[in-house]
Amino acid sequence: MHSKVYVNRTLNLKRIRYLGLDMDHTLIRYNSEEFERLAHSVIKEKLVKSRGYPEEVLALPFDFNMTIRGLVIDRVRGNLIKLNRHSAIRATYHGLRPLDFKTQNKTYQSTYIDLSDSKYLAIDTTFSVSLAIIYSQIVEMKEENKDVKLPDFAVMADDVLQALDEAHRDGSLKDVVKTDLARFIIKDPDTVAGLEKFKQHGKKVFIVTNSDFHYTKLLLDYAINPFLKNHKSWTELFEFVVVSAQKPRFFFDDLRFLKINVQDGTMTNQESRLEPGVYQGGSARSFTRDLNLQGDEILYIGDHIYGDILRLKKDCGWRTAMVIEELEHEVRHNKETEHLTREIENLMHKKEPFEDEMTDLMTLKIEDSAKVDELKVEALQKQIAEIDGQISALIKRQQMHFNANWGQIMRAGNEESYFAYQVDRYACVYMAKLADLLALSPRTYFRAPRRPLSHEL
Ligand SMILES: [Mg+2]
């Protein structure tokens, strides 16, 4: 069977003793389109009801395919930007309209942007899709209809982000999910079977989630318990369940663990060493220490660079795996468009001799003051432009298979996207869903492919 787990750094599962799991979108799969639709509508309501945005905002439609994950907001100019691995701008939208190459260059004198500048807001949080959609829509509204009263682009960016944070905190999203689990949550028996298999091999499994105890219990009762074969309930399957963990703080701070009584939800201070059970808060440091583990004996699997993966890699030395839901779609369409990739490469090769000839001609002109055949130059220019036109059309056709506006998630033009770069840097392995990893033997040795450097090609 072809493995659907992709390797950035060598990882030996035999060495892993504890498998740590994020819950939302990792252990528990969501129907993302429905979930983003909900977030979009909650943000709209919050903007209108508590921030004085005009009623028209409520009518803005939701289109799941309008944006992708991993984009950056330019708060000052009201733009959405896609970056490549060097933080160079590869695509820009203002509202619902793409900026053409010339305008983009004029707007951003440098191609590179500094992500630590507060002008920019990287949006790789949960609901980054709905956030990007609503932001484009209100920017468009401000440009299109000068009679509608809307604040500055930067204020709008902050408002949208705050509305979303608030929706997370005050339960307005989760309260809706709770009442309609079948709409939002995907039951996945393969995940549960896979976890039981890993336990047979002596691996321990634990959860670290930012969700609170009641929500966690509800989801685990719903999506895990019905499929258990060798365990009575999830409390038996998971050695530890840590709720309200405040990731990423969990990974670098020293918060205390509170022990939760699963029967009634009451909490007590955990004074002694950790023993199996359900906890609130706590820290990765005391977890690793109390269990007498080396960081690299733990593999933690999550779906967010910032919340789950980045600090873990930087501060704890735990091994990391990342779930990227969009990967399935991306891999499938990469295969489907292979012929286009080849055609593009062929055209690039076809262009090379014309470009070489052009270089020679112009070099001669400058160095030897030779008289060049202007007609020849013109003809060459025309040939190159023609091929360039064909290449752009093919690229556009290829991009349409991914996202009509933004193309691939993992690529920006010919290079890796900034998002892909982050995945490469912080996740030891990555896959579309947890079950892809669990389908493999718990003794698997993941070997990173040797990647040629430019001079080795
Ligand atoms: Mg998550």
PDB file of all heavy atoms in Angstrom, residues 22 24-26 303-304 308, ligand 1:
ATOM      1  N   ASP A  22      -3.956  16.358  19.340  1.00  0.00           N
ATOM      2  CA  ASP A  22      -4.858  17.489  19.436  1.00  0.00           C
ATOM      3  C   ASP A  22      -6.257  16.913  19.170  1.00  0.00           C
ATOM      4  O   ASP A  22      -6.388  15.878  18.522  1.00  0.00           O
ATOM      5  CB  ASP A  22      -4.473  18.503  18.343  1.00  0.00           C
ATOM      6  CG  ASP A  22      -5.542  19.550  18.134  1.00  0.00           C
ATOM      7  OD1 ASP A  22      -5.959  20.172  19.113  1.00  0.00           O
ATOM      8  OD2 ASP A  22      -5.969  19.719  16.968  1.00  0.00           O
ATOM      9  N   ASP A  24      -9.665  18.836  18.237  1.00  0.00           N
ATOM     10  CA  ASP A  24     -10.462  19.410  17.150  1.00  0.00           C
ATOM     11  C   ASP A  24      -9.695  19.424  15.833  1.00  0.00           C
ATOM     12  O   ASP A  24      -8.596  19.970  15.754  1.00  0.00           O
ATOM     13  CB  ASP A  24     -10.901  20.833  17.514  1.00  0.00           C
ATOM     14  CG  ASP A  24     -11.768  20.836  18.756  1.00  0.00           C
ATOM     15  OD1 ASP A  24     -12.855  20.235  18.731  1.00  0.00           O
ATOM     16  OD2 ASP A  24     -11.337  21.415  19.785  1.00  0.00           O
ATOM     17  N   HIS A  25     -10.254  18.807  14.814  1.00  0.00           N
ATOM     18  CA  HIS A  25      -9.687  18.730  13.461  1.00  0.00           C
ATOM     19  C   HIS A  25      -8.492  17.791  13.367  1.00  0.00           C
ATOM     20  O   HIS A  25      -7.843  17.719  12.324  1.00  0.00           O
ATOM     21  CB  HIS A  25      -9.279  20.106  12.927  1.00  0.00           C
ATOM     22  CG  HIS A  25     -10.402  21.093  12.974  1.00  0.00           C
ATOM     23  ND1 HIS A  25     -11.321  21.222  11.969  1.00  0.00           N
ATOM     24  CD2 HIS A  25     -10.774  21.969  13.944  1.00  0.00           C
ATOM     25  CE1 HIS A  25     -12.197  22.146  12.310  1.00  0.00           C
ATOM     26  NE2 HIS A  25     -11.898  22.610  13.505  1.00  0.00           N
ATOM     27  N   THR A  26      -8.136  17.110  14.469  1.00  0.00           N
ATOM     28  CA  THR A  26      -7.064  16.116  14.383  1.00  0.00           C
ATOM     29  C   THR A  26      -7.654  14.753  14.752  1.00  0.00           C
ATOM     30  O   THR A  26      -7.912  13.936  13.889  1.00  0.00           O
ATOM     31  CB  THR A  26      -5.886  16.472  15.308  1.00  0.00           C
ATOM     32  OG1 THR A  26      -5.382  17.755  14.944  1.00  0.00           O
ATOM     33  CG2 THR A  26      -4.780  15.451  15.206  1.00  0.00           C
ATOM     34  N   ASP A 303      -3.114  20.042  14.019  1.00  0.00           N
ATOM     35  CA  ASP A 303      -3.471  20.573  12.706  1.00  0.00           C
ATOM     36  C   ASP A 303      -3.102  22.040  12.553  1.00  0.00           C
ATOM     37  O   ASP A 303      -3.385  22.630  11.523  1.00  0.00           O
ATOM     38  CB  ASP A 303      -4.962  20.380  12.423  1.00  0.00           C
ATOM     39  CG  ASP A 303      -5.832  21.213  13.336  1.00  0.00           C
ATOM     40  OD1 ASP A 303      -5.757  21.016  14.564  1.00  0.00           O
ATOM     41  OD2 ASP A 303      -6.571  22.071  12.832  1.00  0.00           O
ATOM     42  N   HIS A 304      -2.446  22.631  13.572  1.00  0.00           N
ATOM     43  CA  HIS A 304      -2.082  24.040  13.425  1.00  0.00           C
ATOM     44  C   HIS A 304      -0.635  24.348  13.711  1.00  0.00           C
ATOM     45  O   HIS A 304      -0.104  23.971  14.736  1.00  0.00           O
ATOM     46  CB  HIS A 304      -2.984  24.919  14.286  1.00  0.00           C
ATOM     47  CG  HIS A 304      -4.251  25.210  13.552  1.00  0.00           C
ATOM     48  ND1 HIS A 304      -5.437  24.676  13.907  1.00  0.00           N
ATOM     49  CD2 HIS A 304      -4.466  25.934  12.429  1.00  0.00           C
ATOM     50  CE1 HIS A 304      -6.350  25.057  13.045  1.00  0.00           C
ATOM     51  NE2 HIS A 304      -5.803  25.812  12.130  1.00  0.00           N
ATOM     52  N   ASP A 308      -0.193  24.183  17.557  1.00  0.00           N
ATOM     53  CA  ASP A 308       0.201  22.823  17.890  1.00  0.00           C
ATOM     54  C   ASP A 308       1.671  22.510  17.681  1.00  0.00           C
ATOM     55  O   ASP A 308       2.251  21.728  18.398  1.00  0.00           O
ATOM     56  CB  ASP A 308      -0.600  21.825  17.024  1.00  0.00           C
ATOM     57  CG  ASP A 308      -2.085  21.831  17.349  1.00  0.00           C
ATOM     58  OD1 ASP A 308      -2.412  21.905  18.539  1.00  0.00           O
ATOM     59  OD2 ASP A 308      -2.892  21.767  16.411  1.00  0.00           O
TER      60      ASP A 308
HETATM   61 MG    MG B   1      -7.002  21.463  16.229  1.00  0.00          MG
END
